């Protein structure tokens, strides 16, 4: 199997602002794309990567979380939907499409999410902590939302010139 790292789209690329379409034809034909997504995520040291970030406007994301002395958590996630969420917690986020930016923001602490793998098998997962945070961040990408959109107007104003530089390609990935 030849895997290929995909080019990551950065802030300013219109594909990051589209609402991604649902995947309806599951099956083995999706496996090469899943492999490419994991390769791209891992090579760039991301905890997660959403398909729009490589230019594919479909409801798909991968999560790759290293764990101490255990196999990493690796999830391929299609058409995810939050069924329930609760609590509120501040955590620092970064994004491969927003190089060099890290900002703290609040989101629900716990989520219950339904999703499908590339074969079309359904999963319902209740989780919290960093995994819940990664799910929510990556799911935002499927709606055309970036984590900076959640910041206060003051923080956004302070980041304006940095965001302009990213959009202009002046910040190396
Ligand atoms: Co991101």
């Amino acid at each position: 199997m030849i895997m290929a790292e995909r080019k990551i789209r950065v802030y300013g690329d219109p594909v990051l602002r589209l609402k991604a379409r649902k995947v309806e034809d599951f099956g083995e034909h999706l496996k090469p794309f899943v492999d490419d997504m994991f390769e791209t995520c891992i090579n760039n040291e991301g905890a997660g990567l959403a398909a729009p970030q490589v230019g594919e406007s479909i409801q798909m994301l991968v999560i790759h979380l290293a764990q101490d002395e255990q196999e990493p958590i690796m999830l391929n996630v299609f058409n995810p939907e939050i069924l329930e969420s609760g609590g509120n917690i501040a955590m620092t986020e970064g994004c491969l499409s927003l190089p060099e930016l890290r900002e703290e923001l609040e989101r629900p602490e716990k989520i219950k999410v339904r999703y499908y793998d590339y074969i079309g098998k359904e999963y319902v997962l209740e989780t919290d902590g960093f995994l819940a945070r990664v799910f929510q961040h990556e799911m935002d990408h499927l709606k055309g939302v970036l984590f900076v959109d959640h910041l206060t107007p003051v923080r956004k104003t302070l980041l304006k010139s940095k965001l302009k530089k990213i959009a202009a390609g002046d910040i190396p990935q």
Side-chain angles (χ1 to χ4, degrees):
M1 170 85 62
I2 298 165
M3 289 202 283
E5 187 176 337
R6 304 271 183 130
K7 184 177 152 42
I8 293 179
R9 308 298 182 93
V10 294
Y11 181 84
D13 191 314
V15 74
L16 295 175
R17 292 309 195 175
L18 299 178
K19 248 178 91 80
R21 68 173 193 280
K22 271 196 174 168
V23 174
E24 274 156 20
D25 53 333
F26 294 102
E28 281 297 332
H29 63 283
L30 292 171
K31 183 72 164 52
F33 182 63
V34 170
D35 290 340
D36 287 357
M37 285 288 288
F38 276 119
E39 168 136 326
T40 307
C41 184
I42 292 165
N43 286 356
N44 290 282
E45 293 173 16
L49 182 70
Q53 292 182 276
V54 300
E56 301 288 343
S57 189
I58 57 171
Q59 291 188 25
M60 186 277 186
L61 59 94
V62 294
I63 291 174
H64 180 272
L65 294 188
Q67 304 190 96
D68 290 340
E69 297 177 22
Q70 278 182 63
E71 290 288 300
I73 295 172
M74 286 177 75
L75 302 177
N76 72 94
V77 173
F78 288 78
N79 302 346
E81 192 185 338
I82 303 262
L83 303 176
E84 286 169 38
S85 62
N88 193 46
I89 190 168
M91 286 177 88
T92 300
E93 295 187 24
C95 179
L96 295 175
S97 295
L98 289 155
E100 294 189 9
L101 274 193
R102 291 184 67 75
E103 291 285 328
E104 189 175 83
L105 63 126
E106 291 184 6
R107 292 188 193 262
E109 186 176 6
K110 298 176 197 168
I111 57 165
K112 183 174 176 182
V113 61
R114 178 172 55 214
Y115 66 94
Y116 302 84
D117 67 10
Y118 72 94
I119 294 298
K121 185 177 174 202
E122 183 184 314
Y123 298 81
V124 175
L125 174 71
E126 278 184 71
T127 188
D128 58 7
F130 191 56
L131 181 56
R133 178 55 62 116
V134 176
F135 255 106
Q136 292 174 84
H137 175 113
E138 301 309 332
M139 285 177 69
D140 266 0
H141 280 297
L142 309 182
K143 298 175 227 150
V145 174
L146 300 171
F147 82 86
V148 286
D149 301 338
H150 295 292
L151 300 175
T152 62
V154 173
R155 284 306 304 164
K156 275 187 206 160
T157 305
L158 290 170
L159 289 174
K160 223 172 182 174
S161 67
K162 209 164 188 185
L163 289 172
K164 261 191 187 161
K165 277 188 192 159
I166 294 172
D170 291 346
I171 300 207
Q173 276 174 261

